[in-house]
Amino acid sequence: MQLQGETLGPEVAFQSSAGAASLPHRPALTTPPPKRLGPIAVGAQILRSEGVPALFTGVSATMLRQSLYSTTRLGLYDVLKKNWSPAGDGASLPIHLKVTAGLLAGGVGAAVGNPADVAMVRMQADGRLPPAERRNYRSVLDAIRRMARQEGVGSLWRGSSLTVNRAMIVTASQLATYDQAKEAILRRRGAGADGLGTHVAASLVAGLVASAASNPVDVVKTRVMNMKVEPGTQPPYVGAVDCALKTVRAEGPMALFKGFVPTVSRQGPYTVVLFITLEQIRKLLEDF
């Protein structure tokens, strides 16, 4: 959905039983623009054209990215919180310091996980391309190896400034919001309420805030990472600002919120699972 309406490259329809239909690179004024699809329609087309496994395209890259990115940012956030709090336990840290800790932790985590992030974006977007132009990465390791060999090691950090910016926004909004929401609930209901219900409620709020804050950067990041740069040709985008300006000019400001419903649908459950797991691990480690 984040790539729908992009006018700098051939807009390719999903495969159908009749084959892939490629729309013109620059359609004539008399040609109506392609219909924009919502999350249910996009999911249905993926299922019809590529089958159920297509919904898990890039899962190896997603797992590697989360292993590197989430481990780094969550661990570093906790370390910064404890070091910056007066009692050294991370409790009652002011909101501005929580946000600062989130920004730093998210930036470092994103830099570590960027190669897997690029691989994930490309693997998930491959089905939009005509069969002859698909990259057909077999796994995240195959994707990283081929990118490094064919495009140079630097390609593994393509869009890294966007990844870092997005991760800083997500981590700061997600972790700081969770901590603030949890503290607010416990102040109202007492320390005895520190259980599953409180963790779910606080994480749902955190997921919604993180989705809204990060979606514009995520759209730009997806488009920059997915662009094809042919040798000797000008790249479609020369940077994040150029991509954002071209997107807004061609598709309007709300284009930066494309895919918001799937983002919330992903961030909500992901954030709930993330923080419930984190809280349970913390309780287990208290016994050691």
Side-chain angles (χ1 to χ4, degrees), residues 27-35:
L29 295 177
T30 56
T31 304
K35 183 181 178 182

Side-chain angles (χ1 to χ4, degrees), residues 202-256:
S203 58
L204 284 173
V205 174
L208 181 61
V209 171
S211 298
S214 66
N215 206 89
V217 180
D218 206 20
V219 170
V220 175
K221 175 183 78 73
T222 296
R223 294 187 172 199
V224 170
M225 284 183 169
N226 188 58
M227 69 178 178
K228 278 200 167 186
V229 183
E230 300 294 339
T233 63
Q234 182 73 16
Y237 306 116
V238 294
V241 175
D242 180 55
C243 178
L245 290 175
K246 286 177 178 176
T247 299
V248 170
R249 278 200 299 266
E251 305 165 56
M254 291 310 296
L256 296 177

Side-chain angles (χ1 to χ4, degrees), residues 5 10 42 46-47 57 64 67 84 86 93 102-103 109 136 163 204 224 269 277:
V42 169
I46 291 173
L47 286 172
T57 298
L64 179 60
S67 298
W84 292 353
L93 197 68
L103 290 171
N136 295 318
T163 306
L204 284 173
V224 170
T277 305

Side-chain angles (χ1 to χ4, degrees), residues 143-186:
I144 290 173
R145 178 181 59 81
R146 284 172 55 186
M147 278 189 283
R149 190 181 68 234
Q150 296 169 4
E151 304 171 52
V153 176
S155 67
L156 298 176
W157 276 269
R158 178 172 293 161
S160 59
S161 61
L162 290 163
T163 306
V164 168
N165 288 338
R166 177 192 179 275
M168 291 172 72
I169 293 170
V170 168
T171 305
S173 56
Q174 188 183 60
L175 300 186
T177 300
Y178 177 80
D179 282 345
Q180 287 298 112
K182 179 182 171 183
E183 289 170 13
I185 294 171
L186 295 181

Side-chain angles (χ1 to χ4, degrees), residues 2 25 38 65 69 99 109 111 128 131 155 190 202 207 231 237 268 272 277:
Q2 290 175 344
H25 175 58
R65 174 186 175 274
Y69 163 64
V99 170
R128 297 175 72 251
S155 67
Y237 306 116
V272 170
T277 305

Side-chain angles (χ1 to χ4, degrees), residues 200 203 267-279:
V200 171
S203 58
Q267 281 281 10
Y270 163 70
T271 306
V272 170
V273 172
L274 173 70
F275 284 115
I276 288 177
T277 305
L278 188 61
E279 294 283 4

